[in-house]
Each structure stands twice: as C-alpha cells, then as structure tokens.
C-alpha cells in the first residue's frame, strides 16, 4: 500500500470513527442552552473567545465538554447563516418530527430556481450545514482562521453575489436522540452520508428546474459525490462542475462509474488537495480527478485556502455554457487580466492561470462561425505565446511546458494575417530562448533554422541566431582551453 493511500485511508477511518461519537445527554453540559452558557462568544473577526477575557480562547476540558461546545458553535453558525445569508431550513422525508427532524439549509429560491444551483457537501464526522471544520471554528488563531476558514460563509456569500442559489446537505445527522426513551434512533433514509446524498437527489435535485448544478464537496463529501454519480447518473445532464477540497474518494469508487461520468470528472472537476506546493500548482491526476495544490498542508483548511482558484474554476466551467460571442468577450477579458498580472503585478502564476482559462473557453466551440473561429485562434495564439513569455521568467525553467505551448501556438493556422507573422516570430524566438536557457543549443539553432526559412529577413530572429552562435563559439573555446 502506498504512503499516499495510507494517508487517505487514515483520514477516512478517522472521520468514520467520528460519526459514532454521540452527544452525551446525561452529562451536565447537556443542560447548557447556548454558547453563552459555556462562557464563550465570537469576536467580529470570527474567533471564539471567553466572555470575560477576549484574549483567552477555548480551553479544552474533556471530550464531552468539547462536543457540546461544538454543538452550540454549529447552532451559532447556522443562526448567522440565516441572519446574514438569509438561508432557511427544510425538513427531509424519512426523519422524525420535533427533535428528530433532519434539516438541510438553502437559499429561499433554491428549490424552485431556474438558474444555477450550488450544492455544498460537508465532510464526514460531526460537521453540520454551514461548517467545514468545527476545530477551526472552536479553536483560536494558532489553529487557523476561525469562522473565516471553518465555516461556509465565504462560499455561500460568493454564490449569492454571483446570483446563484445554494443548498447545503446534512450528511452526518444519521441518528437522533429520543429524550423520552433516552435512546438513539436512526433516520430511516439517512443512515449514512451516502444514503443522505442519494435522498437529497431523489427529493430535490431530480426535480429541480435549475439550468446548471455546481457541486462543492469537502473531504468525505467527495465519496458522497462518487456515490451520486454512480447511482444517479442523470445528474450529469445539469452538472457543470465539481470542486473537491481534499476529497478522500479513491480509485475503487471511480472504476464502476460510466464512461460519461469518468470523462466528466477529468474535464469538469478539480480536487484542491493539501500540499506544500504553491497554491494553484497542478499536481497530476489522482482517483480520476485532476489535483491542484490548495496552498496548505492542513486537511481542515483546504476549503478556505482553495477559495480563489476554486471559484475561478467554477466560473470558467459556467462560461463554457455561454454562447460564442460571450465566450470571445470573456476570453479577451481574461487575456487582458493576464497581461496586467504579468507586466504590472508580476504575478506569474496568476497570469498563466488567466491565459490558460482564456484558451480553455474554446475547448467546446461547435457553434462558432468561421469568423468567430478566427477570433478564437487569434486569442489562443496570443495566450500560448504569452504563457511562454511568463514561463521564461520563472526558475527553474520548465522547458517541456514552454515548448508545448509554443508548438500549440504554431499549430494554429486560421489566424488574422496582421497577427500571424508578429506572433509566430515571437513564438519561434521564445522557443529558441527556452532551449538557450536550458543549454540545449542544438535545439535552439534547429528552431531558428526553421523560423528563418519562414521569415528570412526578420531582424529579431537574426539577432537571436547570432547571439546563440556566439555563445556556442565561446563554450567551444572554453572547452579547448581546458
């Protein structure tokens, strides 16, 4: 078993054990009615502190005490969600009335929307709707960002600002405490997170009038998403994107899926995983999904850290649904943003991301007219060449990456005549420069030979050829003197 697989299984097993941890209704802490009764409140910065001393954060006493504090923190978050985001609760079928009812949270029009519906799936354990990671909400700054990282406020608020509706599942409330019999009872159709997810689909998503569905799933929510894709594949008709934040699903959950679902995951899903690499860096495929660094090594913090790249991905995937004219406008906008990030902000990673997103918009262009195809290729050619220019500024040099983008640029032939020579010359120049930096002088000279056959009078190419020839001569001279 690989080290990575062991790590994933440890997370899954750890969260599964949490599912069995019940609130102790016989303890003295069960009598507390609010967070205030425990002596805590939240600051405006979103950190839980002592009412008597704001410099004092949560003090662990025992597991039972922690569980009840966490219970009331969750209630606080949900009340804030209702107050600040206007979320409401709806009872699911197969749950008891009163204390035993199982609620999901959603925006007012989520069940009737004809627009975009974002479905948020928490991880496993004790978390409820509104909370990504209870430990981040409970503990002080030394553990994380408080409510800004531990709650779903940022995702819900952004969705609303993007004119989306939101539905948050409640996968972990699989049983409830019956105070009369003093026993725990199971929700008939919600015995596990996976069962709950299927029930949400059957009761709500199967009948939704929403045009687009987006899923954001943290940790074990990824397992629930795979269950949904496997058992209710009809969701693919409206599903536009899936954002995983350190999902713990594994290959054995992907293997039984239909080819359509597998293709969807490769094209329309990203898993922002815990990593010590820079945020946004592609890390290859894992369990059927492309993985990207979230920018943190902490599993619980991945949703918060992945916020910006995740939203860029979501909005890009939705842009693929735009008509041709709107796609061209969006791509030009992204190219302009990339230029600013490159030349003014010197933010090379974001510049490459913006250029890449612009190119990506033309992956599905069946409805483009010949003139729109030409406009798309103009933008793509420029972005490929610009990506190479940005990458030449980075160290260590990513030679294969640069060559790949230049070759793609040079393969585009349906471009505007006024742009073709200018950008193709730049493409050859940057490809030769990449080989030069990598000390692959023969490949640099080979690239320039091809370029000069196409543009024999170009001063830029001639100057680069002369520079490399001089550099090669100097190296040969140094070797003779040794």
């Amino acid at each position: 078993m690989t080290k990575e697989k062991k790590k994933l299984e440890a997370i899954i097993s750890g969260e599964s054990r949490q599912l069995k941890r019940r609130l102790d209704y016989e303890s003295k802490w069960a009598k507390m009615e609010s967070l205030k009764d425990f002596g805590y409140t939240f600051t405006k910065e979103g950190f839980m502190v002592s009412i008597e001393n704001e410099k004092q954060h949560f003090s662990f006493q025992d597991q039972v005490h922690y569980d009840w504090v966490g219970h009331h923190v969750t209630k606080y978050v949900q009340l804030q969600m209702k107050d600040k985001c206007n979320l409401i609760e709806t009872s699911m079928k197969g749950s008891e009335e009163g204390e035993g009812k199982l609620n999901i949270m959603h925006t007012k029009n989520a069940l009737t929307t004809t627009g975009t519906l974002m479905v948020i799936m928490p991880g496993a354990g004790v978390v409820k709707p509104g909370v990504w990671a209870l430990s981040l909400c409970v503990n002080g700054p030394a553990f994380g960002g408080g409510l800004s990282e531990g709650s779903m406020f940022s995702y819900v608020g952004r969705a609303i600002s993007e004119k989306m509706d939101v539905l948050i599942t409640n996968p972990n409330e699989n049983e409830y405490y019956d105070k009369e019999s003093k026993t725990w009872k199971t929700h008939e159709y919600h015995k596990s997170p996976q069962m709950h997810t299927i029930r949400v689909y059957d009761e709500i998503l199967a009948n939704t009038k929403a045009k687009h569905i987006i899923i954001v799933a943290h940790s074990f929510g990824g397992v629930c998403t795979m269950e949904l894709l496997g058992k209710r594949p009809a969701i693919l008709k409206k599903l536009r994107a899936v954002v995983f934040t350190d999902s713990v699903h594994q290959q054995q959950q992907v293997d039984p899926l239909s080819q359509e679902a597998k293709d969807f995951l490769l094209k329309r899903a990203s898993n922002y995983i815990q990593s010590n690499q820079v945020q946004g860096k592609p890390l290859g495929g894992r369990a059927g999904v492309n993985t990207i660094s979230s920018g943190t090594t902490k599993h619980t913090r991945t949703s918060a850290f992945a916020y910006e790249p995740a939203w860029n991905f979501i909005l890009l995937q939705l842009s693929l649904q735009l008509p041709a004219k709107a796609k061209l406008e969006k791509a030009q906008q992204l190219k302009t943003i990339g230029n600013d990030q490159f030349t003014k902000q010197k933010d090379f990673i974001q510049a490459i991301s913006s250029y890449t997103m612009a190119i990506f918009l033309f992956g599905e262009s069946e409805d483009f007219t010949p003139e729109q195809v030409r406009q798309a290729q103009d933008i793509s050619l420029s972005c490929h060449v610009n990506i190479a220019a940005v990458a030449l500024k980075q160290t260590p040099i990513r030679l294969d990456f640069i060559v790949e983008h230049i070759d793609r640029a040079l393969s585009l032939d349906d471009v505007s005549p006024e742009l073709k020579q200018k950008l193709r010359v730049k493409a050859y120049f940057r490809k030769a420069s990449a080989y030069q930096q990598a000390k692959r002088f023969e490949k640099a000279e080979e690239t320039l030979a091809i370029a000069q056959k196409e543009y024999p009078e170009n001063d830029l190419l001639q100057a680069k050829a002369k520079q490399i020839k001089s550099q090669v001569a100097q190296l040969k001279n140094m070797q003779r003197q040794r």
Side-chain angles (χ1 to χ4, degrees):
M1 183 182 292
T2 65
K3 183 179 180 181
E4 187 69 13
K5 190 172 181 180
K6 285 181 179 179
K7 183 172 71 173
L8 289 172
E9 290 191 347
I11 294 171
I12 293 175
S13 62
E15 291 187 325
S16 296
R17 283 194 295 273
Q18 275 190 306
L19 283 172
K20 299 177 181 178
R21 200 171 75 221
R22 298 165 169 169
L23 289 170
D24 185 354
Y25 279 88
E26 301 301 315
S27 75
K28 62 180 179 180
W29 308 116
K31 298 176 183 178
M32 304 298 186
E33 295 183 353
S34 70
L35 198 57
K36 184 179 179 180
D37 293 337
F38 287 89
Y40 293 108
T41 187
F42 275 92
T43 65
K44 62 181 181 180
E45 292 78 21
F47 289 103
M48 193 177 81
V49 296
S50 168
I51 293 174
E52 296 181 354
N53 181 5
E54 282 197 5
K55 294 183 179 181
Q56 182 178 329
H57 295 278
F58 174 69
S59 176
F60 184 85
Q61 297 187 30
D62 57 45
Q63 190 62 56
V64 175
H65 174 262
Y66 177 88
D67 290 345
W68 277 105
V69 170
H71 171 74
H72 287 288
V73 166
T74 299
K75 289 176 69 174
Y76 173 84
V77 170
Q78 291 180 340
L79 285 171
Q80 293 296 305
M81 285 279 182
K82 292 176 182 179
D83 181 50
K84 296 181 178 180
C85 302
N86 295 317
L87 296 195
I88 59 177
E89 291 184 87
T90 294
S91 295
M92 297 289 294
K93 294 177 182 178
S95 62
E96 302 298 323
E97 290 300 320
E99 293 293 328
K101 66 180 181 180
L102 185 151
N103 293 339
I104 56 170
M105 297 191 76
H106 57 83
T107 49
K108 181 180 178 181
N109 298 319
L111 308 187
T112 57
T113 182
T114 57
T116 300
L117 177 63
M118 173 174 283
V119 179
I120 300 179
M121 299 184 186
V126 295
V127 288
K128 300 291 192 298
V131 176
W132 290 124
L134 196 55
S135 60
L136 296 177
C137 298
V138 170
N139 293 292
F143 291 83
L147 294 183
S148 67
E149 292 186 3
S151 76
M152 299 176 183
F153 280 119
S154 60
Y155 280 82
V156 173
R158 178 66 177 273
I160 293 172
S161 72
E162 297 288 349
K163 302 190 185 314
M164 300 179 188
D165 278 285
V166 177
L167 184 151
I168 311 175
T169 64
N170 189 4
N172 302 316
E173 202 163 326
N174 313 120
E175 54 184 8
Y176 65 97
Y177 185 73
D178 181 30
K179 291 182 178 179
E180 289 188 10
S181 63
K182 294 185 178 182
T183 60
W184 286 89
K185 296 184 178 181
T186 303
H187 289 300
E188 183 179 356
Y189 300 115
H190 307 270
K191 295 178 181 178
S192 70
Q194 295 94 318
M195 284 185 67
H196 170 75
T197 303
I198 296 301
R199 193 67 184 181
V200 169
Y201 178 85
D202 291 344
E203 283 190 32
I204 300 171
L205 300 181
N207 304 309
T208 184
K209 295 179 181 178
K211 187 176 182 180
H212 310 303
I213 296 175
I214 304 292
I215 291 176
V216 178
H218 175 59
S219 191
F220 202 82
V223 175
C224 294
T225 302
M226 295 303 160
E227 184 86 357
L228 182 60
L229 292 174
K231 292 188 175 179
R232 300 294 186 269
I235 194 173
L236 288 167
K237 294 177 182 178
K238 295 188 174 185
L239 191 60
R240 304 296 178 233
V242 177
V243 164
F244 297 108
T245 56
D246 215 25
S247 170
V248 297
H249 77 274
Q250 297 187 32
Q251 188 62 44
Q252 59 261 38
Q253 288 147 335
V254 177
D255 290 338
L257 298 180
S258 67
Q259 191 58 49
E260 182 184 8
K262 291 175 182 177
D263 291 343
F264 176 91
L265 289 171
L266 283 174
K267 294 178 181 178
R268 302 290 183 89
S270 288
N271 188 9
Y272 296 88
I273 65 174
Q274 54 183 319
S275 169
N276 61 5
Q277 298 297 308
V278 65
Q279 183 193 74
K281 182 178 180 179
L283 299 175
R286 187 180 79 189
V289 180
N290 292 315
T291 61
I292 299 169
S293 173
S294 66
T296 179
T297 57
K298 302 296 184 182
H299 174 71
T300 53
R301 303 180 77 181
T302 50
S303 296
F305 271 70
Y307 175 82
E308 285 296 341
W311 270 101
N312 287 340
F313 179 79
I314 289 167
L315 296 177
L316 180 63
Q317 292 295 335
L318 286 174
S319 294
L320 290 176
Q321 310 304 315
L322 295 172
K325 182 180 178 181
K327 279 185 181 178
L328 287 165
E329 291 173 352
K330 180 69 175 178
Q332 183 60 49
Q333 181 185 33
L334 286 166
K335 177 192 159 188
T336 301
I337 291 171
N339 291 344
D340 185 73
Q341 291 166 332
F342 177 29
T343 60
K344 295 180 180 179
Q345 300 176 30
K346 308 299 182 185
D347 191 340
F348 299 149
I349 292 174
Q350 287 303 316
I352 288 176
S353 175
S354 294
Y355 291 138
T356 302
M357 287 192 290
I359 296 166
F360 185 78
L361 280 173
F362 304 129
E364 298 177 5
S365 54
E366 296 86 353
D367 59 337
F368 279 35
T369 66
E371 172 60 19
Q372 288 171 332
V373 169
R374 183 194 61 74
Q375 293 175 31
Q377 290 210 7
D378 284 354
I379 295 171
S380 296
L381 174 59
S382 180
C383 287
H384 280 302
V385 173
N386 288 352
I387 286 172
V390 177
L392 281 167
K393 298 285 187 181
Q394 296 177 306
T395 54
I397 187 169
R398 293 190 288 167
L399 180 61
D400 291 344
F401 177 77
I402 294 171
V403 169
E404 177 186 357
H405 279 281
I406 292 300
D407 287 346
R408 289 184 181 181
L410 294 172
S411 71
L412 299 172
D413 53 11
D414 190 9
V415 296
S416 301
E418 62 270 20
L419 284 177
K420 189 171 185 178
Q421 178 172 336
K422 177 184 176 182
L423 291 178
R424 285 179 69 84
V425 166
K426 282 186 177 181
Y428 283 124
F429 180 87
R430 287 167 186 170
K431 186 175 182 180
S433 297
Y435 282 127
Q436 182 184 16
Q437 284 190 28
K439 301 189 185 307
R440 299 275 299 278
F441 298 112
E442 289 184 7
K443 295 294 291 184
E445 291 176 324
E446 179 185 310
T447 297
L448 289 169
I450 296 171
Q452 289 181 297
K453 281 184 180 180
E454 193 171 334
Y455 305 108
E457 305 299 325
N458 186 270
D459 292 341
L460 186 66
L461 295 175
Q462 288 178 355
K464 175 59 72 173
K466 184 177 180 181
Q467 182 190 58
I468 291 175
K469 184 177 181 180
S470 174
Q471 192 172 0
V472 169
Q474 289 178 2
L475 287 171
K476 286 182 178 179
N477 186 46
M478 290 174 60
Q479 288 172 352
R480 282 195 296 267
Q481 292 176 1
R482 287 178 182 173

